[in-house]
Amino acid sequence: MKKLKLKITAVFLIALTLVFSASCAKSEPKYQSDKILVYCTEGAKSWYKDLFSTYNTYCSANKNLNLSYQVDYVTFENEIELYNKMSTEIMAGGGPDIFLTNQYLPFEKMIEAKLFANVDEIFKENGEKLDTSNLNKNVLDSGIFHGERYIVPLIYSPNIHISSKRVMEKFNMPTEQNSAITYSDKDFFNTLLKYSGEYNLYTQSYDSSLLSEIICDYIDFNKKEIDLDNKEFKDILDIVTKLINANKNIDDASEDSNYKESIFTDELYNFASLQESFMDWEGSYEDIRDIHVFLNKEHQDDTVIYRGPVRNKDDSIGTIEFGIAVNKNSKKKEKVIEFIKYALSDDGQSHLTRRSAVTGFPINYNVLEKRIKNAADIEDSKGRIVGVESEIMKACIDAVKNVKKCELNRSYYKGQIIGGLVWKYADGKLPKNKFIRQLTTATKFYLEE
């Protein structure tokens, strides 16, 4: 165990230079700007461009602001270059003014290291208060950790999938809208294993990414509680491992294995496509024909929304698709306040939830109702209003409105912290008990050390 911990420590210190870098970085040149600084890769810039450019225009036109309130990009060729620069600057008391939550960052460790400012305190220090009267409080408060608002969620998505009633009946599952599949539904997963040659869960093939998703459901990152010794977890681990191995055997034996039907996508595409029906569209029917797949009579009658797989059937969990955190080092917090207010306003939320690379729903209720009206006004190829009165569209709206809590993306944890272990286990190079022990050690070290 000591040898393992030393190995984890070595890897961890390298991977988390952002938080624990011991290099003397004060001689590093800092990017100078009186505007709000955002760091991102050149490729990711397009994801945020619409919101930030609109905000910059807003600053130019607002007589109470000036150009220094605008957002200024610092772009990097790749993530490694970005993180190295960000790491050294943070340790030297600098860095960007805001962090973006869909970046590949160890947010749990950054929160623990108190690298983020408390947004409520920033508002208070500047004689203001964050207006939450027209915002989804469940989603907004998902940014509170240890009693302080370190993250401001801006857009979110419910964790749901779309399936076919005829398929789910074959699996003896309920077909009521927004039913939940839980990890304790052993009959479902065993039937899935039985039909592994015909069906996938919701990916093209089973791999370590599915295991990583399941692992995260048995960890409370906020309370630092690890439940990987749970019998339910061990049972689902066994089944998913068998699915992975069965899929490998099928892939080896058949060139057509990639064309298996997926329980949660099928010809119905996926939830991301359905989300697009709520966005602003100026294209022709042909441009949005994928949306209409969900809305014609044949598919309306056969389509069902499922939550999960989840641990508990009452879980209504969502994901923070895009949000921001404020660098505690920032000297421009009063300017960041103006950006946050704009990003949560009707105008800002409208621009943020237009058709873009980051799909999701607005946290602002006014804009959400506008998005629902967009879906209600969609016409088919003959000019007939399709609307949101169908069973599937009503279920989608209910799922969006009924999210009780949203989570940050765990891409850093799944990639840097447990990625190697999960890959080795999925590849049959680690026995289950050893895998769980090492997984627990790595996770505990990440959360507590």
Side-chain angles (χ1 to χ4, degrees):
M1 183 61 71
K2 185 176 181 181
K3 183 178 179 181
L4 172 63
K5 187 163 185 178
L6 287 173
K7 184 176 180 182
I8 292 173
T9 303
V11 174
F12 201 62
L13 288 174
I14 294 171
L16 286 180
T17 53
L18 180 63
V19 179
F20 296 117
S21 176
S23 61
C24 181
K26 297 191 175 182
S27 60
E28 279 281 324
K30 297 179 183 178
Y31 188 94
Q32 298 296 325
S33 174
D34 59 352
K35 298 180 180 181
I36 299 170
L37 282 182
V38 179
Y39 286 6
C40 62
T41 60
E42 189 64 44
K45 181 178 175 180
S46 60
W47 296 357
Y48 326 117
K49 188 175 181 180
D50 189 42
L51 172 68
F52 291 146
S53 62
T54 305
Y55 172 69
N56 287 349
T57 301
Y58 165 80
C59 289
S60 299
N62 191 319
K63 64 182 181 181
N64 295 320
L65 305 179
N66 57 58
L67 296 184
S68 73
Y69 280 77
Q70 293 181 331
V71 171
D72 198 1
Y73 295 99
V74 182
T75 57
F76 298 85
E77 189 173 328
N78 55 59
E79 290 181 336
I80 294 175
E81 183 183 329
L82 184 155
Y83 301 148
N84 288 341
K85 182 70 170 176
M86 187 184 290
S87 170
T88 54
E89 289 196 351
I90 288 173
M91 296 306 294
D97 295 296
I98 59 176
F99 304 100
L100 311 175
T101 62
N102 55 348
Q103 291 180 318
Y104 191 72
L105 295 172
F107 288 101
E108 293 84 8
K109 297 304 295 184
M110 296 175 80
I111 289 170
E112 196 68 24
K114 300 188 181 301
L115 297 183
F116 299 151
N118 182 343
V119 172
D120 290 332
E121 285 298 317
I122 297 175
F123 273 78
K124 185 178 179 180
E125 288 167 4
N126 286 273
E128 299 195 48
K129 184 178 180 180
L130 181 63
D131 183 4
T132 63
S133 58
N134 195 41
L135 303 177
N136 185 321
K137 195 170 186 300
N138 287 337
V139 178
L140 185 67
D141 287 353
S142 297
I144 295 177
F145 300 85
H146 313 307
E148 304 203 332
R149 194 181 304 279
Y150 290 124
I151 305 287
V152 180
L154 298 178
I155 61 175
Y156 73 103
S157 288
N159 292 352
I160 61 177
H161 304 285
I162 296 174
S163 186
S164 162
K165 291 181 181 179
R166 61 179 172 79
V167 172
M168 298 311 281
E169 285 171 352
K170 187 173 182 177
F171 282 74
N172 295 317
M173 292 298 291
T175 56
E176 290 80 17
Q177 296 294 347
N178 281 314
S179 295
I181 295 175
T182 68
Y183 294 123
S184 61
D185 291 326
K186 293 181 183 177
D187 288 343
F188 167 76
F189 285 99
N190 282 318
T191 305
L192 184 59
L193 182 61
K194 177 182 175 182
Y195 288 106
S196 59
E198 300 176 47
Y199 295 99
N200 278 323
L201 190 56
Y202 49 76
T203 56
Q204 284 300 308
S205 62
Y206 295 105
D207 56 22
S208 59
S209 62
L210 176 58
L211 285 176
S212 298
E213 293 288 341
I214 294 170
I215 289 165
C216 286
D217 285 338
Y218 288 84
I219 298 169
D220 188 321
F221 289 86
N222 298 341
K223 296 180 180 179
K224 302 180 182 179
E225 294 176 353
I226 303 168
D227 198 18
L228 301 180
D229 265 335
N230 185 296
K231 183 179 183 302
E232 181 184 86
F233 173 72
K234 292 180 179 180
D235 288 344
I236 192 65
L237 194 63
D238 284 338
I239 294 174
V240 171
T241 304
K242 291 175 182 176
L243 283 169
I244 292 171
N245 292 330
N247 195 77
K248 285 180 182 177
N249 294 334
I250 293 165
D251 284 345
D252 291 341
S254 171
E255 294 180 359
D256 296 327
S257 59
N258 288 332
Y259 295 96
K260 290 187 298 182
E261 189 173 11
S262 173
I263 290 176
F264 287 146
T265 55
D266 191 24
E267 69 276 9
L268 302 175
Y269 300 92
N270 53 49
F271 182 62
S273 296
L274 184 56
Q275 282 178 299
E276 292 180 351
S277 63
F278 293 85
M279 297 180 181
D280 290 332
W281 285 92
E282 298 176 356
S284 65
Y285 170 78
E286 288 300 313
D287 292 330
I288 54 175
R289 60 183 179 273
D290 286 0
I291 292 173
H292 290 79
V293 171
F294 296 100
L295 303 180
N296 65 49
K297 179 67 175 172
E298 176 189 352
H299 286 290
Q300 283 183 22
D301 291 344
D302 188 46
T303 305
V304 59
I305 280 181
Y306 269 90
R307 291 180 290 110
V310 291
R311 286 195 67 177
N312 304 302
K313 67 178 182 179
D314 295 328
D315 287 349
S316 294
I317 306 297
T319 299
I320 299 172
E321 300 289 358
F322 183 60
I324 66 168
V326 182
N327 188 347
K328 196 170 185 178
N329 293 334
S330 174
K331 304 297 189 293
K332 308 165 194 168
K333 294 186 179 73
E334 77 286 353
K335 297 178 182 179
V336 174
I337 283 177
E338 295 301 325
F339 172 73
I340 291 173
K341 290 194 295 186
Y342 179 80
L344 293 171
S345 71
D346 290 6
D347 193 30
Q349 289 271 287
S350 291
H351 282 280
L352 192 57
T353 56
R354 295 170 72 91
R355 190 185 182 196
S356 65
V358 183
T359 56
F361 291 90
I363 189 174
N364 179 305
Y365 283 127
N366 288 340
V367 181
L368 179 60
E369 292 305 316
K370 178 184 175 183
R371 292 286 168 255
I372 292 172
K373 186 177 185 302
N374 284 352
D377 290 342
I378 286 181
E379 298 179 353
D380 65 15
S381 58
K382 297 180 181 179
R384 297 173 298 193
I385 298 293
V386 178
V388 291
E389 295 306 311
S390 69
E391 187 181 338
I392 184 66
M393 293 299 280
K394 286 181 178 179
C396 178
I397 293 168
D398 285 345
V400 171
K401 288 186 173 182
N402 291 330
V403 167
K404 295 177 182 177
K405 179 178 175 57
C406 282
E407 297 177 342
L408 288 166
N409 79 74
R410 307 293 179 193
S411 57
Y412 189 91
Y413 168 76
K414 289 185 284 189
Q416 288 288 351
I417 307 306
I418 66 169
L421 288 173
V422 171
W423 180 86
K424 285 174 68 177
Y425 177 73
D427 205 39
K429 295 179 179 179
L430 267 181
K432 183 173 71 172
N433 289 340
K434 187 175 181 180
F435 169 62
I436 292 175
R437 285 198 306 271
Q438 293 190 6
L439 191 63
T440 301
T441 300
T443 302
K444 190 173 183 178
F445 187 77
Y446 175 66
L447 294 178
E448 296 181 1
E449 297 297 325

